[in-house]
Each structure stands twice: as structure tokens, then as C-alpha cells.
Amino acid sequence: MNTAEGPAIELARRLRSLRERTWSGQRLTQGDLAKALDASVPLISSWESTKNPKVPPLARLEDYARFFAVERKDKDAPYELPTRLTDEEQTRADELLEELAALSNAARADIARSNAAQPDRSAAEPPFGGIWRFEANQDVTIVASELPADYLERMPYTDAQAPDYVDLYRYADLDALMELFAHIRAANPRNKVRFCTPAEMRTDDLTSHLVLLGGTDWNRVTKELLRRLDLPVHQMSRNTEDEPAGFEVLDGGERRLITPVLRSIGGRDVLDADVGHFYRAPNPYNAKRTVTICNGQYQRGTYGAVRALTDSKFRDRNDEYLRTRFAGRTTFSVVSRVYVVNHKVITPDWTDPETRLHEWPLHDSEPDRAHPPKA
């Protein structure tokens, strides 16, 4: 092992080695190990990561030691954490735990020294942000749809000449806009963050970190950008509100339609679950900046796509899922179910496979592409 890489990486390599080499001729996947240890696949992956390793707690290392102390004679037997060990197995488990604990202690000490050496930036840098944290002094532009004129005519306070005119009422996806603007602004105190409608965009906005809210029906910037990007997710446009629609995705060469779930109550359609789409890639107009699309079939889907990475109860786990699932990639997409309960949006948990409806790229072998604009 190359100890020059640091004890955390050494521990990560040792944990991966245990999984891949302990039982010769048996292919133990991260999924198998996650099931045996009652953990998630992203968690196992983070412990084995040599790019950004996470140090498991001692209780998890004890599980590792017990699990790999047993010799598997039946290759077809399910992978399970043993409840009892023989004297010989207990000796092996104790020796393995001693080795892993030593690596863990060294890794934690190294992390503590590194943190102590870093200047205190708590006053300038917030303790959150994740995927919404950008480098200092890089502008961020949020482009949100503007409601059509026939909608505005039916709403109070939307007449610019009226004394009680409210400018924000022009915006569609207003819940998502306010949530995301506040989060990005708080996570990037040294960046200029602004929001606007497509009609208010400036030329410089296109080359900033670009965040698009809303889909192809009302946000023409989203529509234009998706036309230029090579993305296997396509939102079906609706000519009228009564038309069924959804997101058409490409899976293994076959196309399928993912639609919201509605039910009829008193002759009215009520939304039980929407579809939310999150997409991140290099900005096709400036490769050193990003473009992010948060979109839904309805406005609640857009709000759910935003809340997945702003909700304090879910943002860290969802951010970690993205960083683990799409490690090393700059372009990725997640389509998820967004449930609505008592008219309230439930933040999607991307670590739950039943919530994720489509992911792309599908395989690690697929090349990472910056998706330049099509001619």
C-alpha cells in the first residue's frame, strides 16, 4: 500500500481489497456488501473512494471485521453478517478490527491536523452549499419562466399601473425561484446572484453559471438549450392544459414515457405525484461555467427538483448520492418522482431507488461529454 497517499486513502484501498479479494472466485459487489451490512451502496462507495474517502465509524469497522472473518464455503449462500463466530473466526475478526481501527485513527488524526492548518473562514463561507457552491466572484443567473398574459389577466396585482402591483407575480415556479435564490445566495456570499425572466436576460448571463427553472412550455431558454444538448430526456410539450404529457426518456435504446399521477376528485384533476428533472452540465456557451436545469411537468415537480438539494433534511444525502453515483462526471441527469401529500410537496430522496425514475449516464463506461451546442 502507498502510505504516501494518506491514511484515509490507505483505509479506503484496504476496505475495497477486503471486498474484492477476501473470497477468491466470488464476486462480492458493493450492493451485496451494502445489503449484508445494512448500509446503502453510496455509503459503501464513499468508504472505498480514493478521491474523496469517508472514514467509517468504529461500529461499521466492527461489522467489516466480523463479516470478513468467516470463510465462505458455499458460494451460493446469501451474504449475511454472522451473529456467531467460532474461536478461530473471532481471533481473525479481532486482528482485522485492530488493523482497520489503526488506519481509521490515523486517518482521523490526519484530517484533524489538516483542518487545524486551514484558516478559519466560517465568517466568510457558509457550512453548506454542496452542488450549489460555486467559486468566489463567479456570477450566477437564475432564469425563471414568466406567466403567460392570459394567466396574468386573471390575477390581482399584476397590472403594472395598479397601486398594488407586485412584480414577482409575473413569475411561474415562484416557490422554486424563492427557495433556490435564497439558498444559492446564502451558499455563495462572495458571488453576484440574480434572477430574471427569459425576456430580461442579458448577453453576459448566458456565459455565467446558468440555472434554468421550468420546462419547455413557458421557459424558452430551457427549450432552446435542450434542443442543443445531447440528452436522453425530453419533455413532451402540451398544446393545452388538458393534454396528457410527461418526460420521454431513453433506456437501453427504448423510449418510455414517465408521467405525473393524477386522480379525479369532484370532477377535478388532483396531483398525487409529479415528475421532477435535475440536470447539470458544463455551460455550452462557456465551458468554465455550469448549466443546471430544474424542471417538472407541473410547478410542483420543479419545486421538488430544487428542494432535493436545498432541503436541510435531504440536501446532504442527495448531494452525496450525486457525487458518488456520478463521480468524476461533469454531466448527469436524474428524473425522480415528486410526491404531493395534502397539497404539499414532499422532497424526493434520491437514495431511495423507488424515487429515482431515470438516471443518466446509465453506466460508468459511458464517456463524459460536455455536450457542445448542436449546429
Side-chain angles (χ1 to χ4, degrees):
M1 297 182 184
N2 185 3
T3 56
E5 291 182 320
I9 293 179
E10 186 177 356
L11 175 60
R13 293 189 185 280
R14 181 63 175 122
L15 294 178
R16 180 171 181 174
S17 175
L18 284 172
R19 178 175 61 83
E20 294 181 339
R21 301 179 184 178
T22 297
W23 298 310
S24 177
Q26 300 184 47
R27 183 175 181 271
L28 177 64
T29 67
Q30 289 184 345
D32 295 329
L33 184 58
K35 186 175 181 180
L37 301 186
D38 192 23
S40 67
V41 173
L43 198 58
I44 298 295
S45 181
S46 70
W47 294 338
E48 294 184 2
S49 171
T50 56
K51 293 183 179 179
N52 185 26
K54 305 297 183 182
V55 180
L58 182 60
R60 289 296 193 178
L61 296 180
E62 291 174 348
D63 289 343
Y64 265 89
R66 290 182 63 86
F67 184 70
F68 289 108
V70 177
E71 294 185 5
R72 282 177 54 86
K73 297 179 180 179
D74 184 359
K75 296 182 179 181
D76 297 324
Y79 293 104
E80 296 177 342
L81 186 65
T83 57
R84 293 183 179 180
L85 298 178
T86 66
D87 291 343
E88 184 179 353
E89 290 169 345
Q90 186 63 59
T91 298
R92 286 201 297 268
D94 292 342
E95 292 174 350
L96 181 55
L97 178 59
E98 183 179 358
E99 176 195 354
L100 297 178
L103 289 172
S104 173
N105 291 337
R108 293 183 186 281
D110 188 59
I111 292 172
R113 285 193 297 271
S114 177
N115 290 340
Q118 297 295 323
D120 183 10
R121 303 175 65 181
S122 57
E125 299 293 347
F128 64 91
I131 200 170
W132 289 122
R133 179 79 64 82
F134 302 105
E135 292 187 21
N137 302 316
Q138 294 184 352
D139 292 352
V140 183
T141 306
I142 304 172
V143 184
S145 309
E146 186 171 9
L147 288 170
D150 58 330
Y151 277 73
L152 296 175
E153 290 172 358
R154 298 182 302 217
M155 295 172 56
Y157 313 127
T158 59
D159 181 356
Q161 297 182 0
D164 285 326
Y165 170 69
V166 180
D167 186 64
L168 287 179
Y169 282 1
R170 298 180 298 118
Y171 287 89
D173 300 301
L174 192 53
D175 288 344
L177 174 60
M178 292 296 94
E179 173 81 13
L180 188 57
F181 175 73
H183 184 85
I184 294 179
R185 188 70 187 87
N188 299 273
R190 294 186 291 168
N191 299 60
K192 182 178 180 181
V193 183
R194 67 181 294 264
F195 61 84
C196 63
T197 67
E200 296 168 335
M201 287 191 70
R202 306 171 304 202
T203 301
D204 286 347
D205 294 331
L206 288 170
T207 55
S208 67
H209 287 291
L210 196 57
V211 183
L212 307 180
L213 293 180
T216 57
D217 289 335
W218 290 349
N219 194 327
R220 65 173 182 264
V221 180
T222 302
K223 185 175 183 178
E224 174 64 17
L225 203 64
L226 287 177
R227 185 184 70 82
R228 293 171 173 266
L229 297 172
D230 181 17
L231 180 65
V233 179
H234 173 66
Q235 185 180 19
M236 308 298 291
S237 298
R238 298 178 295 170
N239 294 320
T240 68
E241 290 187 3
D242 296 329
E243 291 185 11
F247 287 85
E248 185 183 67
V249 299
L250 186 64
D251 261 341
E254 296 184 359
R255 297 188 179 277
R256 61 185 176 94
L257 184 64
I258 302 175
T259 60
V261 179
L262 300 108
R263 58 191 169 101
S264 180
I265 299 180
R268 296 183 60 187
D269 285 336
V270 175
L271 185 65
D272 276 348
D274 203 350
V275 182
H277 181 210
F278 181 90
Y279 171 76
R280 166 64 66 86
N283 187 333
Y285 306 110
N286 181 358
K288 293 187 177 181
R289 300 295 185 268
T290 61
V291 61
T292 310
I293 298 176
C294 295
N295 186 18
Q297 190 57 46
Y298 297 101
Q299 295 195 38
R300 287 186 174 102
T302 302
Y303 186 51
V306 167
R307 287 281 288 171
L309 292 164
T310 62
D311 186 336
S312 60
K313 295 186 294 295
F314 291 90
R315 65 193 181 202
D316 290 341
R317 79 177 74 164
N318 286 336
D319 187 85
E320 180 65 23
Y321 177 79
L322 292 181
R323 294 180 186 278
T324 302
R325 169 64 175 82
F326 303 108
R329 294 185 176 277
T330 59
T331 303
F332 50 86
S333 162
V334 176
V335 178
S336 59
R337 183 65 70 196
V338 178
Y339 294 101
V340 180
V341 178
N342 194 29
H343 311 300
K344 303 296 183 182
V345 171
I346 306 301
T347 302
D349 180 357
W350 289 341
T351 65
D352 180 359
E354 293 186 2
T355 298
R356 304 189 310 272
L357 304 178
H358 181 268
E359 296 174 277
W360 182 84
L362 299 178
H363 308 290
D364 292 340
S365 59
E366 292 186 45
D368 189 26
R369 294 175 289 182
H371 299 281
K374 295 179 180 177

mmCIF file of all heavy atoms in Angstrom, residues 20 34 52 57 107 156 191 213 244 251 275-276 302-304 320 342 357 370:
data_model
loop_
_atom_site.group_PDB
_atom_site.id
_atom_site.type_symbol
_atom_site.label_atom_id
_atom_site.label_comp_id
_atom_site.label_asym_id
_atom_site.label_seq_id
_atom_site.Cartn_x
_atom_site.Cartn_y
_atom_site.Cartn_z
ATOM 1 N N GLU A 20 -13.013 -7.293 -2.540
ATOM 2 C CA GLU A 20 -12.704 -7.912 -3.831
ATOM 3 C C GLU A 20 -11.822 -9.157 -3.725
ATOM 4 O O GLU A 20 -11.837 -9.996 -4.627
ATOM 5 C CB GLU A 20 -12.023 -6.882 -4.739
ATOM 6 C CG GLU A 20 -12.917 -5.722 -5.130
ATOM 7 C CD GLU A 20 -12.235 -4.737 -6.052
ATOM 8 O OE1 GLU A 20 -10.972 -4.715 -6.091
ATOM 9 O OE2 GLU A 20 -12.941 -3.981 -6.736
ATOM 10 N N ALA A 34 -23.444 -3.875 0.840
ATOM 11 C CA ALA A 34 -24.380 -2.929 1.442
ATOM 12 C C ALA A 34 -25.563 -3.666 2.076
ATOM 13 O O ALA A 34 -25.998 -3.337 3.184
ATOM 14 C CB ALA A 34 -24.866 -1.932 0.394
ATOM 15 N N ASN A 52 -12.317 11.036 -2.653
ATOM 16 C CA ASN A 52 -12.849 11.774 -1.514
ATOM 17 C C ASN A 52 -13.325 10.776 -0.463
ATOM 18 O O ASN A 52 -14.515 10.619 -0.227
ATOM 19 C CB ASN A 52 -14.002 12.681 -1.955
ATOM 20 C CG ASN A 52 -14.511 13.558 -0.833
ATOM 21 O OD1 ASN A 52 -13.785 13.886 0.102
ATOM 22 N ND2 ASN A 52 -15.778 13.932 -0.918
ATOM 23 N N PRO A 57 -17.407 4.915 10.810
ATOM 24 C CA PRO A 57 -17.345 4.874 12.275
ATOM 25 C C PRO A 57 -16.875 3.508 12.754
ATOM 26 O O PRO A 57 -16.928 2.517 12.011
ATOM 27 C CB PRO A 57 -18.788 5.162 12.700
ATOM 28 C CG PRO A 57 -19.619 4.804 11.516
ATOM 29 C CD PRO A 57 -18.775 5.075 10.310
ATOM 30 N N ALA A 107 -6.262 8.084 10.031
ATOM 31 C CA ALA A 107 -6.974 8.932 9.072
ATOM 32 C C ALA A 107 -7.650 10.105 9.777
ATOM 33 O O ALA A 107 -7.589 11.251 9.313
ATOM 34 C CB ALA A 107 -8.008 8.103 8.314
ATOM 35 N N PRO A 156 -54.892 39.194 -9.465
ATOM 36 C CA PRO A 156 -54.796 40.560 -8.927
ATOM 37 C C PRO A 156 -53.341 41.000 -8.800
ATOM 38 O O PRO A 156 -52.433 40.177 -8.762
ATOM 39 C CB PRO A 156 -55.452 40.437 -7.544
ATOM 40 C CG PRO A 156 -55.238 38.997 -7.162
ATOM 41 C CD PRO A 156 -55.303 38.217 -8.454
ATOM 42 N N ASN A 191 -20.465 35.940 -4.349
ATOM 43 C CA ASN A 191 -20.856 35.869 -5.754
ATOM 44 C C ASN A 191 -22.060 36.762 -6.005
ATOM 45 O O ASN A 191 -22.889 36.965 -5.116
ATOM 46 C CB ASN A 191 -21.225 34.436 -6.148
ATOM 47 C CG ASN A 191 -20.084 33.464 -5.978
ATOM 48 O OD1 ASN A 191 -19.574 33.285 -4.877
ATOM 49 N ND2 ASN A 191 -19.681 32.818 -7.046
ATOM 50 N N LEU A 213 -35.156 27.390 -14.489
ATOM 51 C CA LEU A 213 -36.318 26.846 -13.780
ATOM 52 C C LEU A 213 -37.487 26.740 -14.750
ATOM 53 O O LEU A 213 -37.793 27.692 -15.469
ATOM 54 C CB LEU A 213 -36.715 27.751 -12.608
ATOM 55 C CG LEU A 213 -35.740 27.843 -11.437
ATOM 56 C CD1 LEU A 213 -36.308 28.779 -10.376
ATOM 57 C CD2 LEU A 213 -35.472 26.478 -10.834
ATOM 58 N N PRO A 244 -52.469 14.986 -21.826
ATOM 59 C CA PRO A 244 -51.505 14.232 -21.014
ATOM 60 C C PRO A 244 -50.093 14.467 -21.528
ATOM 61 O O PRO A 244 -49.883 14.623 -22.726
ATOM 62 C CB PRO A 244 -51.948 12.776 -21.214
ATOM 63 C CG PRO A 244 -52.613 12.775 -22.558
ATOM 64 C CD PRO A 244 -53.287 14.118 -22.682
ATOM 65 N N ASP A 251 -34.025 4.477 -22.537
ATOM 66 C CA ASP A 251 -33.461 3.432 -21.683
ATOM 67 C C ASP A 251 -33.070 2.243 -22.538
ATOM 68 O O ASP A 251 -33.928 1.578 -23.121
ATOM 69 C CB ASP A 251 -34.486 2.973 -20.631
ATOM 70 C CG ASP A 251 -34.252 3.629 -19.283
ATOM 71 O OD1 ASP A 251 -33.143 4.130 -19.058
ATOM 72 O OD2 ASP A 251 -35.180 3.630 -18.459
ATOM 73 N N VAL A 275 -43.411 14.744 -11.728
ATOM 74 C CA VAL A 275 -42.114 14.267 -12.188
ATOM 75 C C VAL A 275 -41.146 15.444 -12.147
ATOM 76 O O VAL A 275 -41.445 16.518 -12.685
ATOM 77 C CB VAL A 275 -42.186 13.708 -13.621
ATOM 78 C CG1 VAL A 275 -40.819 13.179 -14.050
ATOM 79 C CG2 VAL A 275 -43.240 12.624 -13.723
ATOM 80 N N GLY A 276 -40.007 15.270 -11.469
ATOM 81 C CA GLY A 276 -39.002 16.320 -11.386
ATOM 82 C C GLY A 276 -37.737 15.911 -12.113
ATOM 83 O O GLY A 276 -37.319 14.750 -12.049
ATOM 84 N N THR A 302 -41.002 20.975 -10.471
ATOM 85 C CA THR A 302 -39.857 21.892 -10.469
ATOM 86 C C THR A 302 -39.426 22.209 -9.035
ATOM 87 O O THR A 302 -38.237 22.208 -8.711
ATOM 88 C CB THR A 302 -40.221 23.199 -11.195
ATOM 89 O OG1 THR A 302 -40.633 22.898 -12.535
ATOM 90 C CG2 THR A 302 -39.039 24.144 -11.230
ATOM 91 N N TYR A 303 -40.400 22.468 -8.183
ATOM 92 C CA TYR A 303 -40.102 22.765 -6.779
ATOM 93 C C TYR A 303 -39.424 21.575 -6.105
ATOM 94 O O TYR A 303 -38.471 21.742 -5.340
ATOM 95 C CB TYR A 303 -41.395 23.133 -6.055
ATOM 96 C CG TYR A 303 -41.216 23.610 -4.629
ATOM 97 C CD1 TYR A 303 -40.316 24.615 -4.314
ATOM 98 C CD2 TYR A 303 -41.986 23.058 -3.612
ATOM 99 C CE1 TYR A 303 -40.166 25.061 -3.011
ATOM 100 C CE2 TYR A 303 -41.843 23.504 -2.293
ATOM 101 C CZ TYR A 303 -40.936 24.499 -2.006
ATOM 102 O OH TYR A 303 -40.784 24.931 -0.710
ATOM 103 N N GLY A 304 -39.895 20.351 -6.404
ATOM 104 C CA GLY A 304 -39.277 19.157 -5.831
ATOM 105 C C GLY A 304 -37.849 18.972 -6.304
ATOM 106 O O GLY A 304 -36.969 18.572 -5.527
ATOM 107 N N GLU A 320 -24.520 13.901 -1.724
ATOM 108 C CA GLU A 320 -23.562 12.798 -1.642
ATOM 109 C C GLU A 320 -23.890 11.715 -2.652
ATOM 110 O O GLU A 320 -22.999 11.113 -3.251
ATOM 111 C CB GLU A 320 -23.558 12.224 -0.221
ATOM 112 C CG GLU A 320 -22.592 11.057 -0.018
ATOM 113 C CD GLU A 320 -21.138 11.465 -0.183
ATOM 114 O OE1 GLU A 320 -20.837 12.671 -0.026
ATOM 115 O OE2 GLU A 320 -20.308 10.578 -0.469
ATOM 116 N N ASN A 342 -51.473 16.131 0.798
ATOM 117 C CA ASN A 342 -52.256 17.238 1.355
ATOM 118 C C ASN A 342 -51.837 18.563 0.727
ATOM 119 O O ASN A 342 -51.673 19.579 1.402
ATOM 120 C CB ASN A 342 -52.100 17.287 2.890
ATOM 121 C CG ASN A 342 -53.129 18.184 3.553
ATOM 122 O OD1 ASN A 342 -54.236 18.356 3.034
ATOM 123 N ND2 ASN A 342 -52.772 18.762 4.695
ATOM 124 N N LEU A 357 -36.531 7.647 -11.152
ATOM 125 C CA LEU A 357 -37.224 7.057 -12.290
ATOM 126 C C LEU A 357 -36.316 6.879 -13.500
ATOM 127 O O LEU A 357 -36.575 6.040 -14.346
ATOM 128 C CB LEU A 357 -38.423 7.936 -12.678
ATOM 129 C CG LEU A 357 -39.426 8.216 -11.555
ATOM 130 C CD1 LEU A 357 -40.527 9.138 -12.059
ATOM 131 C CD2 LEU A 357 -40.014 6.915 -11.022
ATOM 132 N N ALA A 370 -19.180 17.047 -22.640
ATOM 133 C CA ALA A 370 -19.544 18.416 -22.297
ATOM 134 C C ALA A 370 -20.783 18.883 -23.060
ATOM 135 O O ALA A 370 -21.305 19.939 -22.796
ATOM 136 C CB ALA A 370 -18.381 19.364 -22.591
#
